[in-house]
Amino acid sequence: DLRPDFLCGAGCGVLYLTLKWHKLHPAYLETRCNDLNAFTVKILLVLSNVEDPSFLLRDLNIVCYRWKWTMIVAYSVEE
């Protein structure tokens, strides 16, 4: 039984994704998207850890828009 990576209350689930992982395994996000169907607020937390993230971030932004998710991008682990 797969679940979200973080729970932020009863109605909010968060998935964590690094851009390196997304670049190596582009279908991973689609396999995890069903984990958050029960939540009202769905957040994709993205760590930008590649040199030129613009193309990957644009692709993820389109996916989040279609799935009605919120995307939060961090540029370091401390963020």
Side-chain angles (χ1 to χ4, degrees), residues 2 15-17 21-22 25-37 44 59-60 62-64 66-67 69:
L2 295 174
L15 287 182
Y16 174 75
L17 181 69
W21 183 262
H22 179 63
H25 308 281
Y28 173 76
L29 187 59
E30 290 182 31
T31 62
R32 294 289 313 271
C33 74
N34 293 329
D35 297 345
L36 295 183
N37 282 342
L44 179 64
D59 182 43
L60 286 175
I62 291 169
V63 169
C64 287
R66 287 183 184 155
W67 291 347
W69 287 28

Side-chain angles (χ1 to χ4, degrees), residues 61-75:
N61 190 31
I62 291 169
V63 169
C64 287
Y65 178 76
R66 287 183 184 155
W67 291 347
K68 298 179 182 166
W69 287 28
T70 301
M71 184 171 72
I72 299 175
V73 180
Y75 291 93

